[in-house]
């Protein structure tokens, strides 16, 4: 028998009882099934920003915000990223289990073969202005994929979902690399099928035309494996994050029956905002603006001033009321990288001072404002010589698999409905 919750509403001395099912979860809070509430009471529930609303059931990712815990398909994020590659994480999210060696090899080959772009898609870039932000061209490029693979509007079976997933995971890094190269006016570098997923992306960003040479800062011919591992970890940490703003957008677009590729493109657009994935670019821009450790106090004061819109970028999270576990992994990675590659010590000093002050300041403690993933990723990405206008695109590459997995889960869920919130009308 299902557990029930009784809600008693006392409005103008008129009491009425309503009974609703309590929905179980395997972890985290249970939910009250309020779907018939409006029909029965004539009232809406008001929940701006969905702070108390579960919009779906999901078995992909679990976050315990109080403990600072994140799991993909039941696996703790810290263990997952220290023992498995980004492609293994992708396989896990899509297939609910980690791959065998053979399965991983086949998955990898399938992705390598799909990493190229249709010639027509490449021509689209020439229509964009010079200096176009890579996030704008990336989003447009992914939308354009829907025109090249229009038949995916009607995916009917697992094979179709698999093809869609492989195609997007493989092609989005290429669109992202081309977006960057277009933004600085240099020729595109085609994917190198001999390279791993992450190395190939760095290759497409860095290489020179007509050269097989993978140039590094010290002129070596191979991209430093330390850099590949660091970026691979960053991709894995971004792979999914349950019902955040961009994922909710992907599910919302999915709910209308639109083409799956435009649902992913909508996710990219939602991610771009500085309150969400765009925060990584803003963190570095803000550290550069602060400019010196001597100015940190002034900006902390601004962040605490209720009359000042200034916020410390890379701090706070809707769900984490403790250290973001992804940030913990990156902080450790940052410390390790200090020994092997050049980290910008000037920016690092400013960031360290902000972190130390904020973690001990009553304003931040009272509001549970901890550094989030974006606070640390920017310094590492800068050390990987990735320009800051590409930071959110890096987030996109990592998150693509999460959006796709959530899209497929939504489509297969018999309870799914078109997303259609209500409003409190205050107009004439
Ligand atoms: N700096 C200063 N004060 C802050 C900050 C911040 N970064 N974040 C929240 N606050 C204050 C806010 O002013 C409010 O104070 P009060 O209660 O006095 O009005 C209180 O903390 C609660 O803030 P909120 O805006 O109601 O919290 P939210 O859950 O709606 O917003 C957030 C979460 C992430 C949008 C917000 O913390 C923020 O804008 N942070 C900076 C941007 C950022 O780093 N975003 C990346 C998030 S992690 C990557 C991802 O998954 O997207």
């Amino acid at each position: 028998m299902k557990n029930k919750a009784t809600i008693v509403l006392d409005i103008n001395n008129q009491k009425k009882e309503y009974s609703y099912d309590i929905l179980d979860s395997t972890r985290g809070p249970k939910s009250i099934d309020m779907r018939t509430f409006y029909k029965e009471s004539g009232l809406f529930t008001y929940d701006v920003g969905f702070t108390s609303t579960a919009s779906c059931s999901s078995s992909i990712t679990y976050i315990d915000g109080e403990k600072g815990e994140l799991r993909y398909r039941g696996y703790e994020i810290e263990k997952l990223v220290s023992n498995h590659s980004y492609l293994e994480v992708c396989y896990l999210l899509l297939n609910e289990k980690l791959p065998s060696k053979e399965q991983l090899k086949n998955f990898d080959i399938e992705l390598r073969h799909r990493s190229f772009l249709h010639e027509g898609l490449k021509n689209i870039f020439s229509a964009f202005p010079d200096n176009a932000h890579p996030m704008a061209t990336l989003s447009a490029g992914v939308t354009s994929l829907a025109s090249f693979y229009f038949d995916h509007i009607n995916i009917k079976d697992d094979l179709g979902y698999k093809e869609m997933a492989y195609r997007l995971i493989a092609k989005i890094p290429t669109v992202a690399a081309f977006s960057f190269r277009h933004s600085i006016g240099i020729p595109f570098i085609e994917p190198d099928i001999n390279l791993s997923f992450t190395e190939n992306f760095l290759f497409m960003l860095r290489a020179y035309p007509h050269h097989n040479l993978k140039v590094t800062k010290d002129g070596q011919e191979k991209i430093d494996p330390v850099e590949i591992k660091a970026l691979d970890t960053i991709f894995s940490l971004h792979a999914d994050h349950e019902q955040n703003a961009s994922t909710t957008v992907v599910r919302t677009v999915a709910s209308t029956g639109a083409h799956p590729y435009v649902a992913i493109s909508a996710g990219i657009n939602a991610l771009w905002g500085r309150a969400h994935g765009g925060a990584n670019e803003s963190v570095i821009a803000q550290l550069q603006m602060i400019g010196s450790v001597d100015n940190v106090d002034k900006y902390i004061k601004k962040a605490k001033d209720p009359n000042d819109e200034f916020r410390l970028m890379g701090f706070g999270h809707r769900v984490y009321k403790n250290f973001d576990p992804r940030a913990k992994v990156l902080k450790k990675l940052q410390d390790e990288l200090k020994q092997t590659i050049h980290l910008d010590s000037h920016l690092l000093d400013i960031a360290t001072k902000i972190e130390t002050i904020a973690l001990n300041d009553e304003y931040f403690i009272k509001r549970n404002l901890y550094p989030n993933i974006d606070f640390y990723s920017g310094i590492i990405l800068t050390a990987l010589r990735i320009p800051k206008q590409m930071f959110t695109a890096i987030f996109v590459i990592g998150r693509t698999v999460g959006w796709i997995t959530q899209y497929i889960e939504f489509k297969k869920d018999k309870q799914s409905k078109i997303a259609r919130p209500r409003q409190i009308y205050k107009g004439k």
Side-chain angles (χ1 to χ4, degrees):
M1 209 179 72
K2 279 193 174 155
N3 284 330
K4 295 267 183 192
T6 303
I7 296 174
V8 182
L9 287 184
D10 186 347
I11 301 175
N12 299 332
N13 290 329
Q14 299 264 338
K15 274 195 192 170
K16 203 166 170 202
E17 277 193 12
Y18 302 88
S19 178
Y20 296 102
D21 288 344
I22 299 198
L23 305 177
D24 276 334
S25 58
T26 43
R27 285 171 193 266
K30 300 172 193 294
S31 299
I32 304 177
D33 184 350
M34 300 289 285
R35 283 175 292 180
T36 56
F37 183 67
Y38 168 62
K39 220 184 210 169
E40 287 160 7
S41 69
L43 297 169
F44 294 145
T45 56
Y46 180 59
D47 186 17
V48 176
F50 312 121
T51 56
S52 304
T53 298
S55 61
C56 61
S57 299
S58 181
S59 56
I60 303 167
T61 292
Y62 173 72
I63 302 173
D64 185 328
E66 308 302 321
K67 281 202 225 154
E69 184 184 307
L70 168 65
R71 290 170 185 266
Y72 298 158
R73 299 288 190 192
Y75 289 87
E76 284 171 54
I77 191 71
E78 293 87 348
K79 289 192 185 146
L80 211 48
V81 297
S82 46
N83 299 317
H84 300 281
S85 68
Y86 174 65
L87 285 200
E88 287 174 280
V89 167
C90 288
Y91 190 97
L92 170 69
L93 287 168
L94 290 168
N95 300 288
E96 301 180 39
K97 60 178 187 342
L98 283 162
S100 66
K101 265 195 178 148
E102 190 65 19
Q103 286 166 330
L104 181 62
K105 194 174 140 212
N106 291 336
F107 181 52
D108 188 5
I109 289 172
E110 297 285 352
L111 294 182
R112 288 179 197 224
H113 286 162
R114 288 171 177 79
S115 58
F116 296 86
L117 300 185
H118 191 289
E119 291 298 316
L121 180 55
K122 288 187 226 163
N123 295 336
I124 290 172
F125 282 92
S126 63
F128 297 128
D130 301 340
N131 304 327
H133 193 288
M135 280 298 284
T137 46
L138 173 57
S139 145
V142 175
T143 295
S144 309
L145 283 174
S147 69
F148 293 98
Y149 305 104
F150 189 71
D151 56 319
H152 270 178
I153 183 94
N154 279 324
I155 297 181
K156 296 256 178 318
D157 52 20
D158 282 343
L159 220 62
Y161 284 127
K162 201 164 143 184
E163 181 58 39
M164 160 212 167
Y166 287 9
R167 207 171 255 166
L168 287 171
I169 296 168
K171 290 190 194 302
I172 283 181
T174 313
V175 183
F178 285 17
S179 295
F180 167 63
R181 295 187 77 100
H182 173 81
S183 75
I184 56 167
I186 57 173
F188 301 147
I189 297 289
E190 293 292 337
D192 182 341
I193 204 155
N194 297 306
L195 302 179
S196 72
F197 181 89
T198 302
E199 183 172 8
N200 177 49
F201 176 67
L202 284 172
F203 171 72
M204 290 189 291
L205 278 191
R206 292 179 183 177
Y208 289 86
H210 314 302
H211 268 261
N212 289 327
L213 194 69
K214 295 115 212 167
V215 181
T216 64
K217 59 183 173 220
D218 46 12
Q220 287 170 9
E221 288 209 3
K222 269 195 103 34
I223 295 172
D224 188 343
V226 171
E227 295 182 284
I228 300 168
K229 174 78 185 83
L231 185 58
D232 203 75
T233 300
I234 288 180
F235 285 153
S236 294
L237 291 173
H238 287 94
D240 194 50
H241 214 230
E242 53 118 307
Q243 308 313 315
N244 54 81
S246 57
T247 302
T248 299
V249 164
V250 169
R251 283 182 177 258
T252 300
V253 177
S255 81
T256 70
H259 193 288
Y261 298 15
V262 306
I264 302 303
S265 180
I268 294 174
N269 293 328
L271 190 79
W272 194 3
R274 62 205 294 264
H276 195 8
N280 55 13
E281 184 177 342
S282 304
V283 168
I284 290 295
Q286 193 169 83
L287 292 176
Q288 288 166 342
M289 181 194 71
I290 294 172
S292 152
V293 283
D294 299 336
N295 296 330
V296 168
D297 290 327
K298 184 173 98 193
Y299 284 98
I300 296 271
K301 207 167 151 204
K302 274 167 78 64
K304 289 159 50 172
D305 180 353
N307 300 315
D308 192 326
E309 283 188 353
F310 180 84
R311 281 191 169 198
L312 271 191
M313 298 318 286
F315 270 80
H317 198 274
R318 170 64 62 76
V319 183
Y320 293 122
K321 299 304 163 203
N322 202 324
F323 234 98
D324 178 342
R326 306 167 299 174
K328 268 194 203 161
V329 174
L330 286 186
K331 190 172 161 54
K332 202 166 145 236
L333 179 65
Q334 190 178 281
D335 290 340
E336 286 163 15
L337 290 177
K338 269 190 216 159
Q339 326 293 329
T340 45
I341 55 175
H342 172 74
L343 293 181
D344 185 329
S345 58
H346 180 62
L347 288 188
L348 200 56
D349 287 348
I350 300 172
T352 308
K353 183 161 179 195
I354 292 175
E355 183 191 356
T356 312
I357 296 180
L359 288 175
N360 293 291
D361 186 293
E362 205 201 317
Y363 173 93
F364 292 90
I365 295 170
K366 211 171 122 200
R367 292 168 179 76
N368 295 312
L369 298 172
Y370 290 86
N372 56 49
I373 186 168
D374 296 318
F375 189 70
Y376 299 103
S377 62
I379 294 211
I380 299 175
L381 292 172
T382 305
L384 301 181
R385 291 176 292 131
I386 293 174
K388 69 173 183 293
Q389 72 269 27
M390 278 301 283
F391 288 4
T392 312
I394 299 286
F395 198 149
V396 167
I397 295 172
R399 183 56 56 84
T400 297
V401 67
W403 288 327
I404 294 166
T405 312
Q406 300 269 354
Y407 175 94
I408 297 170
E409 187 179 69
F410 177 89
K411 284 292 180 184
K412 290 185 169 181
D413 185 348
K414 298 260 180 311
Q415 310 231 357
S416 294
K417 276 170 107 62
I418 188 166
R420 182 44 168 107
R422 305 306 297 266
Q423 63 173 6
I424 300 176
Y425 179 66
K426 297 269 203 176
K428 284 184 188 166

